[in-house]
Amino acid sequence: MLQRLARFVLPRRCPGCGGQVEQAAGLCSACMAQISPQVQRHSPLSSRATAHLVVLGPYRGVLGRSVRALKYGGAREVAQVLGTRLGEGVPHGWNIQAVTGVPLHESRLRERGFNQAELLGRAAAGVLGVPYLHTLTRQRSTGAQARRHARDRLTALGDSFAVLPHAALPERLLLLDDVMTTGTTLQACADALRAGGAAQVWFAVVAR
């Protein structure tokens, strides 16, 4: 209630464009109009040309600024609108049973205070009408991956991800993250999920 009241009283800047946000939470209507989910068939995550990845767009402009505002500016409301858009783009034929997110290492989680992939995933799960599950743990900190070459990422990630003890994995999972570059982090998570019993893993990211 206090958040709703604040929207009427306090002027807020849209993380996507810097303009004023209306009464809606997250992004302004002009930025929202630019965001549309796409189902992609080609990415490093799949060796076959088959629909496997939902993306909102490239990591620039509105999406780039929005992701940075979420991760580094604490703009958690952005996760709700972006995650909702991702959920809306998931094909019904995938028959997703649950959503999960790429985990942060404990040290990064303490530093940031939240996992952006979890916030996005919970919003997507709400649209899909399925649960959000904590399925993975990040066993060691690998540092920032964005500026590393693909081979260095593979070496750094190694066996970084593992399925949580006693986690009951459904057959069909949607794995979600904020940004995909080379895809090594998502692939490492998917490998761990498949090793833990998931039969099929699909992917969704805000930007790539």
Side-chain angles (χ1 to χ4, degrees), residues 39-41 48-53 91 94 202:
V39 179
Q40 299 189 353
R41 300 171 59 87
R48 298 182 296 118
T50 182
H52 64 280
L53 173 65
W94 289 3
W202 285 273

Side-chain angles (χ1 to χ4, degrees), residues 126-180:
V127 173
L128 295 169
V130 299
Y132 178 88
L133 301 179
H134 289 282
T135 60
L136 295 169
T137 180
R138 197 163 194 150
Q139 301 181 109
R140 59 190 177 87
S141 177
T142 55
Q145 297 292 309
R147 296 182 181 178
R148 287 179 171 168
H149 295 297
R151 182 177 299 177
D152 294 334
R153 289 177 185 231
L154 286 170
T155 302
L157 286 171
D159 298 324
S160 295
F161 302 100
V163 173
L164 287 165
H166 311 301
L169 299 183
E171 290 187 355
R172 298 180 297 277
L173 271 170
L174 180 69
L175 176 61
L176 196 143
D177 204 2
D178 54 349
V179 178
M180 170 184 158

Side-chain angles (χ1 to χ4, degrees), residues 11-22 24-32 34-35 62 65-66 69 75 78 81:
R12 296 182 303 122
R13 294 294 179 184
C14 171
C17 66
Q20 188 168 347
V21 179
E22 301 92 359
L27 300 173
C28 69
S29 57
C31 285
M32 287 296 295
Q34 299 179 46
I35 299 173
V62 170
R65 290 188 291 269
S66 297
V78 175
V81 295

